[in-house]
Amino acid sequence: MQCHHLKPVLPVAPLAEKRANHQADLKDNKKSNGEVDMEPRVIELETRLKYLRRDMEEMRTDVKSIKQRLAYSAGGTAIVLGLLGWIANSRFDQLVTLFLAH
């Protein structure tokens, strides 16, 4: 059977080639006094940090809503079980006579 939903395999550059490319980028970014221009990399890191913080806030909001739903569900379940227990306790003698009669 052929599987038509497979993604094409992308070639992966070897580590040595990646390192050489990185070194070439660093050489291109060097200033006249030997410093490396860090501005684009810092901007990229700040942007990623901003997105991470936004995602964390979304997750916190989701966790709070899940906790509230669980609390309401647990409270509702406790009330229903309490009512069922109260009804069973108040009608216990009728249940016993019903079971013993048959």
Side-chain angles (χ1 to χ4, degrees):
M1 293 180 85
Q2 290 182 344
C3 190
H4 297 287
H5 65 283
L6 293 177
K7 295 180 181 179
V9 178
L10 299 175
V12 178
L15 184 61
E17 184 179 327
K18 285 183 180 180
R19 177 171 260 176
N21 289 340
H22 182 66
Q23 293 296 333
D25 288 343
L26 287 177
K27 287 179 185 175
D28 291 342
N29 288 335
K30 286 192 176 185
K31 294 183 179 179
S32 60
N33 58 1
E35 294 178 5
V36 177
D37 185 18
M38 298 291 287
E39 186 70 23
R41 296 173 76 189
V42 171
I43 291 172
E44 181 183 353
L45 287 172
E46 288 175 344
T47 305
R48 288 184 183 204
L49 184 61
K50 180 177 75 172
Y51 288 132
L52 284 172
R53 285 183 178 167
R54 185 196 66 198
D55 293 343
M56 288 296 293
E57 286 300 320
E58 288 177 5
M59 288 186 347
R60 285 184 184 133
T61 305
D62 292 343
V63 167
K64 284 181 184 178
S65 69
I66 290 170
K67 284 181 179 179
Q68 289 174 347
R69 289 179 192 169
L70 286 174
Y72 287 131
S73 298
T77 303
I79 289 172
V80 168
L81 289 176
L83 285 173
L84 289 174
W86 177 69
I87 292 170
N89 190 28
S90 65
R91 301 294 180 182
F92 183 72
D93 56 340
Q94 291 177 352
L95 289 173
V96 169
T97 57
L98 181 69
F99 285 129
L100 292 178
H102 292 295

